[in-house]
Amino acid sequence: APGPHQTTVLFTHDLHSHFLPLERADGGESGGYARLASALEQQRALHPDALTLDGGDFSIGSLVQTLYTTRAAELRTMGALGYDATTAGNHEFDHTGLGFAQMLTAAYTSGDPLPALLMANYAPSAGGPDQLDIQRAMSAYGVTDTLLLERGGVTYGIFGLMGEEADSNAPMSGMEFEPAADAAERTVASLEEELLSRNAPYFIICLSHSGTDGRGKGEDYELARRVDGIDVILSGHTHTTLEQPIEVNDTYIVSAGENSNNLCVLTLTRTQDGVELKDSRLVPVDERVPEDPEMAAWIEAAKSQVEQDYLADFDL
């Protein structure tokens, strides 16, 4: 379609249950979901059609993780924050594949808004004892390979991947993971066929829990080099902070660091000649960002639930 067409993506990865900010060595604070909520609200005011995406490992890293299998606090909070989609990282399986299934069940039975959960290269582990429970929970939640999302006159084809190293760090996942590049080639071809049939502007975005070291190496670098047609790889797992995207084979690889320390704001333009980078910024989520009162209250409720469900057993 005639252009140019512009898109803005807001993204995080490796949030690791960091509901509360962390103290820095200089006396300041970084992260925390009440401030992240405010940062998201500020950017959405500037970019009303922006997507909000995450690259996995949204769990395991604070005491709130004790609510993972029973309350699904992380996914429900991402829903409250307005995330459109995320993918599963290796830490989502720290409670085994059955714990992952229990978390999904707790999430969808809550009735709360939830992000799409995209996993394009998973397959059931042959003969695993918990496979029926895992597959039922994934089906009920609506876990899928891809998401087609239309916003502001632009259509997005989004998919999620688990990388080889991340998979090796999740030996109790109860799943097998196809090589990411093989799955990406198949998935991008399918998305392109569907998106081209719509005769409308589109972008293809990969939520990859694979990683890059930021110096032109890593699994996501190799993924971009091998697979044509991906406009953006949102690169999680290695906790890398890239001040500017890496461009490989007409694909932009972006990474914002861990624990909601930054919100990345990526703006791209699609022209008849391809996709061009217009702007990429890391917005620090620190003490200069005011806390959103509704999210602050949500966090207080989560803290109370931790005290009731977990700390009470230790008479603390």
Side-chain angles (χ1 to χ4, degrees), residues 32-287:
Y33 296 166
R35 288 177 176 145
L36 177 59
S38 294
L40 286 167
E41 183 179 358
Q42 292 167 2
Q43 292 304 319
R44 289 168 183 154
L46 298 172
H47 311 284
D49 295 323
L51 302 187
T52 306
L53 304 174
D54 180 78
D57 269 8
F58 48 79
S59 64
I60 312 300
S62 78
L63 277 179
V64 182
Q65 73 193 39
T66 60
L67 307 177
Y68 181 74
T69 58
T70 57
R71 308 279 180 177
E74 293 85 359
L75 271 183
R76 292 168 61 199
T77 302
M78 293 175 77
L81 287 166
Y83 277 82
D84 294 298
T86 185
T87 191
N90 50 288
H91 282 290
E92 272 67 80
F93 301 102
D94 281 5
H95 291 274
T96 74
L98 183 58
F100 177 68
Q102 291 168 337
M103 183 274 297
L104 294 181
T105 300
Y108 76 76
T109 56
S110 73
D112 291 337
L114 299 167
L117 183 54
L118 308 177
M119 300 170 61
N121 66 326
Y122 83 93
S125 181
D130 300 319
Q131 283 308 305
L132 185 58
D133 289 331
I134 294 171
Q135 294 306 305
R136 281 176 173 168
M138 292 178 69
S139 176
Y141 185 96
V143 178
T144 186
D145 292 5
T146 64
L147 173 67
L148 288 175
L149 192 157
E150 187 173 350
R151 186 173 296 168
V154 175
T155 302
Y156 300 88
I158 310 168
F159 66 104
L161 295 174
M162 174 82 81
E164 181 178 347
E165 182 186 76
D167 177 26
S168 72
N169 292 338
M172 296 187 294
S173 69
M175 298 183 183
E176 301 291 341
F177 287 89
E178 178 185 5
D182 293 346
E185 285 182 333
R186 181 187 68 253
T187 304
V188 169
S190 175
L191 284 171
E192 284 183 328
E193 182 178 4
E194 172 63 27
L195 292 166
L196 287 169
S197 71
R198 299 186 177 206
N199 195 31
Y202 68 85
F203 294 86
I204 293 179
I205 301 173
C206 175
L207 311 181
S208 176
H209 200 76
S210 303
T212 174
D213 64 3
R215 298 188 300 273
K217 296 181 180 180
E219 290 185 48
D220 283 326
Y221 176 90
E222 295 302 324
L223 176 65
R225 190 175 64 83
R226 173 175 160 182
V227 181
D228 297 334
I230 305 174
D231 296 312
V232 179
I233 296 176
L234 196 170
S235 178
H237 182 56
T238 51
H239 295 199
T240 302
T241 302
L242 293 175
E243 294 294 337
Q244 288 295 312
I246 299 170
E247 186 177 3
V248 181
N249 189 26
D250 297 325
T251 297
Y252 293 101
I253 303 172
V254 291
S255 206
E258 74 275 22
N259 301 337
S260 70
N261 291 338
N262 299 299
L263 172 65
C264 188
V265 183
L266 177 72
T267 300
L268 301 172
T269 300
R270 179 174 286 285
T271 69
Q272 292 182 337
D273 297 325
V275 173
E276 299 175 358
L277 176 66
K278 181 175 181 182
D279 187 42
S280 180
R281 293 179 295 115
L282 296 180
V283 176
V285 180
D286 58 22
E287 67 276 2

